[in-house]
Amino acid sequence: MSRTRKAAMLAAAAALLLSACDAGGQGAASGSLEAAGGSANAASPSVAASPSAAASPSAAASPSAAASPAPAEPAASPAPAMSPKPASPREEKKPVPERKRKLPSGFVYVDEVIPTAQYEIRYFTDYNFVGARLDGYNAPYAILTKQAAEALKEAHDFLAPKGYGLKIFDAYRPAKAVRQFVAWSKDASDQRMKEEFYPEVDKAKAFKLGYISSRSGHSRGSTVDLTLFERKTGKEADMGSPFDFFGDISSHGTPEIGKAPAERRALLKRAMELAGFKPYSKEWWHYTLEKEPFPKKYFDFDIE
């Protein structure tokens, strides 16, 4: 065969291949190449073996992608199945009893007046200096006279721009619960909470020392025990000593605490006094409304 004829045949094969590619049919191009001698398919087996290349026209049209394909990312390992963490007794949330709404005239549920405050009604639990739920605490609700609750909201609102809110431990206290305090003080054999709440105090002297009273202002409905919580974290603030701790460290102005807790006590005291409450010198958490509506009446209805 002459060189001229061979050149003509190769030119015809190239034209046929170009025509097949322009038509977009890889199979047609492959068939045309086979008709022209089959050398092209043999030279690029990877194209025929890769279904993804056929399914992705854009990849075929990009020389750079073909020249340096991106390395495949390793498949992510599936996250291991996590067993649920068993709740500790204090983490378990018991259902809250429905409000019976049998309050005497002039009393309110505090969380309905101040829904953004925090509530941890200690005497509904056994985590208190007595070590048992107190009589009359049938539900973990804070109850106060309407005047005291509204004044307390003023203190809560005053603290908000300073980054704090109020956390309430106790409010109205039934007289029957106070009688339980008296019985507790006379039982010398019951020392289960001594280490945590009164390590250096003889419980029989708790009344004489002024830590508890046989007739509590709480039973008049306008006295509250409370602390601060940090709005940013929701955590209870460090006040230098815990709620209901019997000792000099719980007094206002004690030198036994650091600067930061002392400043927080002073802030709480300022907020409460501006709202119309008076403090109790021996307990940084205890405040009574100055103009209480029932200054001489002691109530004994249940909290429920």
Side-chain angles (χ1 to χ4, degrees), residues 69-238:
E73 295 184 2
S77 301
M82 300 294 288
S83 300
K85 179 183 176 183
S88 69
R90 288 201 181 170
E91 290 176 334
E92 292 177 357
K93 292 186 177 180
K94 298 179 181 178
V96 178
E98 186 177 352
R99 301 166 201 256
K100 291 192 175 180
R101 300 191 177 278
K102 294 181 179 179
L103 303 181
S105 177
F107 283 80
V108 295
Y109 291 102
V110 182
D111 64 314
E112 294 182 347
V113 179
I114 321 174
T116 55
Q118 290 186 358
Y119 300 86
E120 184 184 338
I121 308 304
R122 286 285 186 86
Y123 298 138
F124 176 71
T125 74
D126 59 5
Y127 182 56
N128 54 64
F129 66 87
V130 174
R133 182 190 295 186
L134 294 191
D135 295 341
Y137 284 77
N138 298 337
Y141 296 123
I143 294 171
L144 285 173
T145 61
K146 185 173 184 291
Q147 293 92 327
E150 290 176 348
L152 197 61
K153 185 178 186 304
E154 291 180 20
H156 183 68
D157 293 343
F158 170 83
L159 291 163
K162 296 168 175 52
Y164 292 98
L166 295 176
K167 179 175 182 176
I168 299 170
F169 293 124
D170 193 36
Y172 158 73
R173 183 182 303 162
K176 59 175 68 73
V178 181
R179 292 192 291 271
Q180 191 174 352
F181 286 166
V182 176
W184 165 84
S185 71
K186 294 178 179 179
D187 183 2
S189 65
D190 182 1
Q191 300 289 332
R192 53 189 150 164
M193 305 304 286
K194 180 176 178 63
E195 183 177 350
E196 191 155 1
F197 290 98
Y198 52 101
E200 299 178 358
V201 172
D202 180 352
K203 63 185 291 188
K205 297 180 180 178
F207 286 93
K208 184 178 180 180
L209 293 173
Y211 295 118
I212 48 180
S213 173
S214 58
R215 296 191 78 190
S216 173
H218 283 274
S219 300
R220 301 195 300 265
S222 294
T223 294
V224 61
D225 292 338
L226 74 179
T227 188
L228 299 176
F229 74 87
E230 299 173 354
R231 286 182 176 269
K232 186 175 181 179
T233 64
K235 294 182 179 179
E236 183 178 323
D238 178 7

Side-chain angles (χ1 to χ4, degrees), residues 227-304:
T227 188
L228 299 176
F229 74 87
E230 299 173 354
R231 286 182 176 269
K232 186 175 181 179
T233 64
K235 294 182 179 179
E236 183 178 323
D238 178 7
M239 304 296 276
S241 71
F243 162 66
D244 254 1
F245 185 84
F246 297 179
D248 292 340
I249 196 173
S250 295
S251 299
H252 284 286
T254 178
E256 299 181 27
I257 62 174
K259 180 181 178 182
E263 289 176 345
R264 294 188 194 100
R265 288 190 187 188
L267 176 62
L268 175 60
K269 185 171 180 283
R270 183 183 175 204
M272 295 298 286
E273 288 179 332
L274 287 174
F277 289 87
K278 56 186 177 183
Y280 176 51
S281 63
K282 288 181 176 289
E283 298 175 346
W284 60 259
W285 57 82
H286 180 111
Y287 290 87
T288 299
L289 187 68
E290 290 192 45
K291 297 180 179 179
E292 53 181 317
F294 304 107
K296 296 182 179 180
K297 187 172 183 178
Y298 293 81
F299 294 85
D300 199 24
F301 63 90
D302 289 346
I303 298 172
E304 53 190 11

